[in-house]
Amino acid sequence: MRPLRRSCGAAVLAFGVLSGPAAALERLEFRTPGAAEDVADALRAASLLVSSELDGQTDAQDLFAAARAEYAALLGALYAKGHYSGVITIRVDGREAASIAPLDAPGRIDVIEVTVEPGPAFRLSQAEVAPLAPGTALPPGFAAGQPALSGVVRDAAAAGVSGWRDRGHAKARVAGQDVTANHRDATLAARIALEPGPRLRFGPLTVEGAERMEVRRVVKIAGLPEGEVFSPQELERAANRLRRTGVFRSVAMTEGDVLSPDLVPITAAIVEELPRRYSFGAEIASQDGLSLTGYWLHRNLLGGAERLRVDGEITNIGAQNSGVDYTLGVTLDRPATLTPDTTLGFAAEIGRLDEEDYVADVATIGVNLTHYFSDTLTGRLGIGYEYANGRDRVSDFLFRNVSIPIGVNWDRRNDKTNATEGFYLDAEVKPFFGLGTTGTGARTKIDARGYLGLGAADRVVLAGRLQLGLITGSALLDTPRDDLFYSGGGGTVRGQPYQSLGVNVARGALSPKIGATHFIGTQLEARAMVTDRIGVVGFFDAGRVDLDGFFGTGGDWHSGAGLGLRYDTGFGPIRLDVAAPVSGTTGDGVQIYVGLGQAF
C-alpha cells in the first residue's frame, strides 16, 4: 500500500447533510475516483463513516474514532477486491485523520472528506499451497492469472488445513506464508506452507458447564468415538447431537493439547437452558372457529436430557358445522437410547372429537424410536394401542386396534417457518391390527412440499404442496373414523369448510357422510414481499376424496382460492388469508384464516 497522500477526486458522492446542534456533522463526502461500480459499492458498504452517518451519529468523539478506524476498513475492502495499490485519504475539517493525535481529538466536526483511489486490479502470478493432503480441492479462483482477491487466498489456506484435518491431522496449521505484491506488474505472488502434524485419534471427552445435566449422559449423547481417527465431521455431529436435545443454550467443542502417544482430548463447553418452558397459540377461521393450543415442557426431567411435554388443544370453538374438540397429550423422550442418534419416546393422548358426522371419545398410548440419519433425514418406528368409542348418525361404534407406524421425514427447507428454498417430505405407513369388530389394514400418508425463491433476496417465492392418503385392507365401515380422510379447511382446501368433503354411504334408509379411504390434495402459493416485513400471497387449493381408488367413479373434487397478507415478526410470519370456493358444492361464501407461520 502506498503512503497516504492528500488527493482530490473528480467524482463526489454526498451522503446527505445533517443539520442540528453545533456539534453535528454538516457533511460527509465519499469519493471513489476511477473505481469500478462493484468496488465503489464494496467500499461504501465497508465504510464506518457512511454507517455512522446513516445511523445519525453526531458525537465528535465517535466520528473521530470512526475516521481513524476507517483506513483499516477500507483497506480490507480494497484487498478483498484485489486492489493492493490503493490510496486512502480521510480529512476531518481539512486535516488528515491519521495525523491527528488521539489526545488532540476535535471537539467539533463539520466536514469529513473520504477519497479512495483503488489503483489497478491485481492478478495472481503464483498460487501455491503445500503440502496438500490427497484429494484436497482448492478454490477455483486460486490459480495464476486469476484476480488476486484476498478472500480467495485465505480460503485456499483454510482449504489446505481442512484437507489435512479431514484425514485425521487435527493440529494441521499454516506454518508460513509469503504474499508479495508487485506494484509494477500489478501481480500478487501467494505461497502458503502447511504443517500437517501427526495423524491423531479422539481422546477422552471432558465436559465443562454441566449444572443439572449428568456428565455421563452428556458424554453418552455426544457419542464421540473415543479411540477412532480424528474427524472434524464427527466432532460437529457430536455437537449437533447435544444441541438437538434442546437442553443447551450453547455447545462448543474444542481440541486440547495432544496426549501421548496420538490422542487429542476434546472439551465440550456447554451452557444449559432454563429447564422449563411453556407456549400458547391461537388460530381462527370464520367457518372452522377458534383453535387454542398450548404446551408445558421440561427439557431435563431426570438429569439425562429426558424431555417431558404436556400438550393441550381445544379446536373448532364456534365452528358452524361441528362441535368442540378436546385433546390432552403427554410425551416423554429420552435421547441416546440404543445409539447416540436414536431417541426413545413414550406418548399418550386422550380426547373427545365432535365432528360433523360423528362424536367419539378417543385414546392412544404407544412407544416409538426416532433415528437421526443426518441433520435433515430422520426415520421413526413405533407401536401403539388406539381406542375410539362413539356414535355416528346411524349407530354406535367401538374401534380398538394395535398399530405399528413406520415413517420417514426429509426436511431440506432453509427455514422451517418461512421457507424460500428447498423441500420437505414426510411419509408414513401405519399397519393396524383390529380387535373385535375393527378391521385390519394399513393407512398411508404422504406430505410433500417444495419452495423456489425468485429475484433478489428471494423476494418472490413459489410454494407447492401435495398430500396423498390411502387406506388399504380394511373395509370403510370397519376403519376407525379418525383414520379416514376428509377435505376442506386451512390444512387442505382454504375457502371450503373444515372437513366438508367426504363420501356418502347408504346405510338403511339413510345416506350419511363419512370420511373416505383415498385422498389427494394440492396447495399452490405465490408469495411476494412488499416491504421487509409485509408480504402478500395468492393461492389456489384443491382436494379430492374417493372410496375405490384415486379418481374413482364415486369420488368428488372441490377447490378454493384467495389472497393473503403476511407480517414477518422475526420468529415467524403472522398469517391472514381470505378465501372463497372455486368449484364443488361443499362451500358458499368467504372464509377467513388467521394464524402464525405460513400455511405450509
Side-chain angles (χ1 to χ4, degrees):
M1 178 62 66
R2 294 175 182 170
L4 298 175
R5 63 177 173 82
R6 298 175 186 270
S7 174
C8 195
V12 176
L13 179 64
F15 280 87
V17 178
L18 298 176
S19 60
L25 178 68
E26 292 181 0
R27 188 173 75 255
L28 169 65
E29 294 180 358
F30 196 95
R31 304 178 175 92
T32 57
E37 184 177 356
D38 64 321
V39 176
D41 290 343
L43 289 167
R44 295 180 198 117
S47 172
L48 302 176
L49 288 169
V50 170
S51 178
S52 295
E53 196 218 16
L54 292 175
D55 291 341
Q57 183 60 256
T58 60
D59 182 78
Q61 293 285 343
D62 292 338
L63 290 170
F64 177 65
R68 288 181 61 85
E70 183 88 334
Y71 296 101
L74 297 179
L75 189 64
L78 287 174
Y79 285 1
K81 289 294 183 179
H83 292 265
Y84 297 87
S85 294
V87 178
I88 302 171
T89 60
I90 303 171
R91 294 192 182 95
V92 177
D93 287 334
R95 301 167 62 193
E96 189 67 43
S99 67
I100 303 174
L103 296 180
D104 193 27
R108 169 194 176 105
I109 296 177
D110 294 321
V111 178
I112 298 178
E113 301 166 285
V114 179
T115 303
V116 184
E117 298 176 44
F122 281 50
R123 291 191 172 271
L124 290 167
S125 60
Q126 286 183 281
E128 300 176 2
V129 179
L132 288 176
T136 301
L138 296 179
F142 189 71
Q146 294 296 314
L149 310 181
S150 62
V152 170
V153 177
R154 286 194 298 270
D155 291 345
V161 171
S162 294
W164 284 112
R165 284 174 56 83
D166 289 342
R167 288 184 165 264
H169 297 258
K171 296 301 182 180
R173 65 184 185 90
V174 174
Q177 51 185 323
D178 182 6
V179 182
T180 306
N182 187 324
H183 295 273
R184 181 188 305 175
D185 299 332
T187 60
L188 187 77
R191 296 176 292 273
I192 300 169
L194 301 180
E195 183 179 306
R199 196 164 188 247
L200 302 174
R201 296 179 297 128
F202 280 115
L205 177 64
T206 301
V207 179
E208 295 180 353
E211 297 179 2
R212 292 171 289 271
M213 274 292 296
E214 296 181 12
V215 170
R216 65 175 184 84
R217 284 292 293 159
V218 176
V219 174
K220 175 70 174 178
I221 294 167
L224 203 65
E226 185 175 344
E228 294 187 10
V229 174
F230 173 87
S231 166
Q233 291 78 23
E234 284 293 342
L235 196 63
E236 183 60 22
R237 289 190 192 103
N240 285 339
R241 291 183 188 114
L242 292 171
R243 296 184 186 112
R244 196 163 58 212
T245 65
V247 174
F248 308 107
R249 185 174 305 163
S250 67
V251 176
M253 308 287 278
T254 57
E255 304 145 27
D257 296 331
V258 178
L259 300 176
S260 179
D262 61 349
L263 296 178
V264 57
I266 305 297
T267 297
I270 58 176
V271 177
E272 296 180 12
E273 289 274 13
L274 295 175
R276 297 170 185 82
R277 179 183 176 185
Y278 60 88
S279 176
F280 298 97
E283 186 169 332
I284 189 169
S286 55
Q287 184 81 21
D288 309 337
L290 176 66
S291 297
L292 299 176
T293 60
Y295 70 81
W296 177 88
L297 172 70
H298 197 302
R299 295 184 173 95
N300 188 20
L301 185 65
L302 303 175
E306 298 86 1
R307 190 181 183 93
L308 175 66
R309 175 165 166 157
V310 180
D311 286 89
E313 184 177 64
I314 305 175
T315 61
N316 299 337
I317 303 172
Q320 298 183 22
N321 297 318
S322 64
V324 179
D325 295 343
Y326 308 88
T327 58
L328 178 66
V330 178
T331 59
L332 178 62
D333 295 326
R334 183 181 187 271
T337 302
L338 301 182
T339 78
D341 290 310
T342 306
T343 296
L344 173 66
F346 299 91
E349 184 178 81
I350 59 173
R352 181 173 178 82
L353 305 179
D354 189 350
E355 306 299 337
E356 182 178 355
D357 57 317
Y358 74 91
V359 177
D361 295 317
V362 297
T364 62
I365 186 170
V367 59
N368 61 80
L369 291 171
T370 301
H371 186 78
Y372 295 85
F373 296 99
S374 70
D375 291 338
T376 60
L377 181 63
T378 61
R380 57 187 184 270
L381 170 66
I383 183 170
Y385 173 77
E386 300 176 346
Y387 169 92
N389 186 6
R391 179 177 179 83
D392 60 22
R393 294 184 179 181
V394 176
S395 62
D396 295 337
F397 59 78
L398 174 63
F399 292 107
R400 296 171 296 150
N401 69 78
V402 175
S403 62
I404 304 176
I406 306 167
V408 62
N409 183 279
W410 194 9
D411 191 348
R412 296 295 300 272
R413 294 173 293 181
N414 63 334
D415 188 323
K416 295 184 186 301
T417 61
N418 192 17
T420 59
E421 62 181 39
F423 64 86
Y424 171 93
L425 176 65
D426 189 88
E428 181 179 89
V429 177
K430 185 182 76 171
F432 56 89
F433 305 91
L435 304 174
T437 59
T438 305
T440 295
R443 185 179 197 258
T444 302
K445 295 187 301 178
I446 297 176
D447 184 356
R449 312 173 192 181
Y451 308 87
L452 176 63
L454 304 174
D458 295 332
R459 302 286 291 183
V460 176
V461 177
L462 302 180
R465 183 184 192 185
L466 176 66
Q467 298 180 82
L468 296 173
L470 170 66
I471 300 287
T472 55
S474 176
L476 177 68
L477 297 180
D478 295 336
T479 303
R481 294 291 184 265
D482 54 340
D483 276 344
L484 298 175
F485 300 103
Y486 298 83
S487 182
T492 52
V493 179
R494 287 163 289 185
Q496 300 286 353
Y498 175 66
Q499 292 191 351
S500 57
L501 182 61
V503 293
N504 293 320
V505 181
R507 297 170 65 188
L510 298 176
S511 182
K513 187 190 76 173
I514 195 173
T517 57
H518 294 71
F519 166 69
I520 181 170
T522 182
Q523 295 179 295
L524 302 173
E525 288 194 349
R527 307 168 182 170
M529 295 302 297
V530 179
T531 70
D532 290 340
R533 292 285 187 180
I534 299 175
V536 295
V537 176
F539 57 86
F540 174 81
D541 302 343
R544 179 183 176 91
V545 296
D546 288 281
L547 280 180
D548 301 321
F550 292 110
F551 309 107
T553 56
D556 198 8
W557 283 98
H558 67 172
S559 62
L563 298 173
L565 284 175
R566 304 289 185 267
Y567 180 79
D568 188 1
T569 63
F571 54 86
I574 295 174
R575 179 179 78 254
L576 169 63
D577 287 336
V578 180
V582 173
S583 66
T585 60
T586 55
D588 183 17
V590 171
Q591 307 288 325
I592 299 174
Y593 307 87
V594 179
L596 182 62
Q598 296 286 4
F600 60 90

